[in-house]
Amino acid sequence: MRKYETIFVIHPSFEEEAVKATIEKFKGVIENGGGTVDNVDFWGKRKLAYEIKKVNDGFYTLFNFSANPELPSELDRVFRITDGIIRHIIVKEEK
């Protein structure tokens, strides 16, 4: 298994419960895909570096996880179709 990290930004209009549910959803995608979540770091609501779709802030979350090489593409697909995700990125950690 390879090590990856992903950071994603959730729309600021989401309530606290919806933010937690969204984080759990992505945690579930990783675990159901055969991966393991090593660390979840919720940064809270922060200002974006630049405006995206007329939004200036969002809820940032960082995941460190281990998975097979096929899982990041599935996770990317789920990020793209999930309402409320403003931006996301998945990168492989270097050794």
Side-chain angles (χ1 to χ4, degrees):
M1 288 218 269
R2 295 182 181 160
K3 293 201 172 282
Y4 297 91
E5 73 177 22
T6 183
I7 189 165
F8 55 97
V9 183
I10 302 170
H11 199 279
S13 67
F14 275 37
E15 297 292 328
E16 185 177 338
E17 290 302 315
V19 171
K20 288 180 183 177
T22 304
I23 292 169
E24 287 301 317
K25 173 183 178 177
F26 292 115
K27 210 169 156 186
V29 168
I30 293 168
E31 291 170 349
N32 292 338
T36 58
V37 177
D38 302 325
N39 184 37
V40 176
D41 193 6
F42 180 66
W43 295 356
K45 194 173 191 177
R46 298 212 174 172
K47 188 162 178 57
L48 300 176
Y50 54 89
E51 186 177 287
I52 302 172
K53 299 179 187 175
K54 299 184 180 179
V55 175
N56 291 317
D57 50 4
F59 295 99
Y60 283 72
T61 305
L62 172 72
F63 280 5
N64 296 90
F65 64 98
S66 302
N68 294 322
E70 301 82 31
L71 184 65
S73 60
E74 173 61 16
L75 185 61
D76 182 56
R77 185 188 72 79
V78 176
F79 275 131
R80 290 179 189 276
I81 63 173
T82 302
D83 291 335
I85 299 299
I86 299 173
R87 281 284 190 271
H88 71 280
I89 188 168
I90 304 168
V91 294
K92 185 175 98 174
E93 290 184 3
E94 293 295 322
K95 293 182 179 179

